[in-house]
Amino acid sequence: MSSPPPSPKAAHAEWARRPERSNAATLRLMTWISLALGRRAGRVVLALIAGYFLLFAPTARRASRTYLTRRLGRAPRMAELFRHIHAFASTVHDRIYLLNERFDLLDIRVHGATLLLEQVARGEGVLLMGAHMGSFEVIRAVGRQQPGMRVAMVMYEDNARKINEALAAINPAATQDIIPLGQLDSMLQVKARLEDGMIIGMLGDRGLGGDANVAVDFLGAPAAFPAGPWRMAAMLRRPVFLMLGLYRGGNRYDIHFEPLADFSAVGRDSREAVQREAIARYAARLEHYLREAPYNWFNFFDFWQGVPDPRRSDAA
């Protein structure tokens, strides 16, 4: 008798338990190569790193194959697996230039930012909902064009520590306002920054084992999305915008902003229904952009694992 599949919570928690393969020394070496020898030399090394991960990181390779099979409708070829991992490595590599304000080396195009920037200009704080898809770091380029735009990130405490370590290795002078989740005053910190007119960024596609999840259709099968970010938006009664920085290959990025939901006038009795609608819309928009840019999905674990499909007779 086979054992039952892990729950969605256990499947999503697996990414947080996975040890990091990178370290500060490697990041510093890659930063030196990339800044001293140029982006072209850095990308030669990057291709070798991507090839190494393709060969010697079986968990990431399996997750890439699972996702690409869903997205492409067939088993991916080895070259497509490499392209997927290389796209992820490229966004990590370009973080070096973004954190060192070498925006001139990248072709960054912004789409749909008018409504967001109007709210920022009025001093109204908003929530940005991103994903482990493309690069969230490219929003620094938008901030450079809009000096009044200030962004803080909300993330799990262990992730905040890893991000700070990576920032210090790439550029000790680079700073990022990070609000760690799980502390008693986390919500108060978010509320204070929103009232100060800041943009608060969150990633809405990944949770920890203790999170509540909402199952919605995603690339043809139910997937579990964490409810926490949307619960926070509802409690704070704020509008939420989608933000995706899609990597298009070479040095090009397309940043897309879209209004997703507005909780400013949602009553307590309808919050849960509106949250579910927002999560479903969020998943649908992620799917839309993955059909345009299929190699931008960077959740290297089985995103659908353990989520029953009610459309199947054996799911009960």
Side-chain angles (χ1 to χ4, degrees):
M1 180 176 178
S2 61
S3 58
S7 69
K9 292 181 179 181
H12 274 235
E14 189 272 334
W15 68 265
R17 296 192 299 267
R18 191 177 303 159
E20 292 291 305
R21 286 174 175 260
S22 60
N23 56 56
T26 302
L27 286 173
R28 283 193 289 267
L29 175 61
M30 194 65 189
T31 298
W32 180 85
I33 291 172
S34 301
L35 295 177
L37 303 181
R39 189 171 182 272
R40 181 174 297 179
R43 285 181 64 81
V44 170
V45 178
L46 194 70
L48 298 176
I49 293 172
Y52 170 85
F53 272 85
L54 178 62
L55 294 174
F56 300 109
T59 300
R61 187 174 62 247
R62 282 194 301 270
S64 175
R65 181 177 287 110
T66 297
Y67 158 70
L68 286 174
T69 298
R70 290 189 179 277
R71 167 58 188 84
L72 301 175
R74 56 171 174 78
R77 296 183 287 271
M78 187 64 73
E80 291 165 327
L81 294 172
F82 174 81
R83 184 176 176 183
H84 186 201
I85 293 173
H86 188 266
F88 171 64
S90 295
T91 64
V92 175
H93 178 233
D94 284 336
R95 193 176 296 172
I96 293 171
Y97 302 108
L98 293 163
L99 290 173
N100 286 278
E101 298 190 352
R102 292 300 311 275
F103 304 113
D104 56 299
L105 296 176
L106 302 174
D107 178 10
I108 300 174
R109 308 175 191 188
V110 181
H111 310 271
T114 302
L115 287 176
L116 174 69
L117 296 179
E118 285 176 356
Q119 294 203 219
V120 171
R122 291 194 298 266
E124 299 176 7
V126 297
L127 294 167
L128 282 185
M129 197 69 70
H132 292 83
M133 180 173 162
S135 171
F136 200 92
E137 198 69 51
V138 292
I139 196 174
R140 287 177 178 268
V142 182
R144 187 186 186 214
Q145 298 169 2
Q146 190 79 16
M149 193 172 79
R150 296 168 297 149
V151 181
M153 285 295 297
V154 177
M155 61 183 63
Y156 297 105
E157 195 162 5
D158 191 48
N159 268 19
R161 177 187 57 79
K162 293 174 183 176
I163 289 289
N164 283 326
E165 290 175 355
L167 288 175
I170 293 172
N171 181 358
T175 59
Q176 184 160 311
D177 193 351
I178 296 175
I179 304 171
L181 288 173
Q183 298 185 359
L184 291 175
D185 64 340
S186 296
M187 183 71 79
L188 293 176
Q189 291 186 53
V190 173
K191 185 174 184 291
R193 283 170 171 79
L194 287 170
E195 291 175 348
D196 194 35
M198 292 186 68
I199 293 174
I200 302 298
M202 297 185 287
L203 302 179
D205 57 335
R206 202 186 275 185
L208 291 179
D211 293 347
N213 292 309
V214 174
V216 298
D217 190 76
F218 183 60
L219 291 175
F225 287 83
W230 303 95
R231 187 180 299 120
M232 179 183 292
M235 291 175 65
L236 293 168
R237 301 172 69 88
R238 293 285 173 167
V240 182
F241 284 77
L242 177 69
M243 182 274 174
L244 296 174
L246 299 179
Y247 177 61
R248 298 294 193 174
N251 70 338
R252 181 181 165 187
Y253 288 84
D254 283 330
I255 305 178
H256 293 270
F257 294 100
E258 290 183 13
L260 273 178
D262 190 350
F263 293 96
S264 57
V266 175
R268 186 183 297 271
D269 57 343
S270 58
R271 277 183 186 173
E272 186 173 347
V274 175
Q275 288 173 45
R276 286 182 172 273
E277 291 172 5
I279 293 171
R281 175 168 172 76
Y282 170 74
R285 297 311 293 163
L286 294 187
E287 183 171 328
H288 166 81
Y289 283 110
L290 284 174
R291 298 202 180 281
E292 288 187 8
Y295 298 100
N296 275 253
W297 183 248
F298 300 147
N299 280 302
F300 287 101
F301 62 95
D302 188 347
F303 198 77
W304 296 264
Q305 187 176 16
V307 185
D309 189 342
R311 294 167 299 189
R312 293 179 53 185
S313 59
D314 59 346

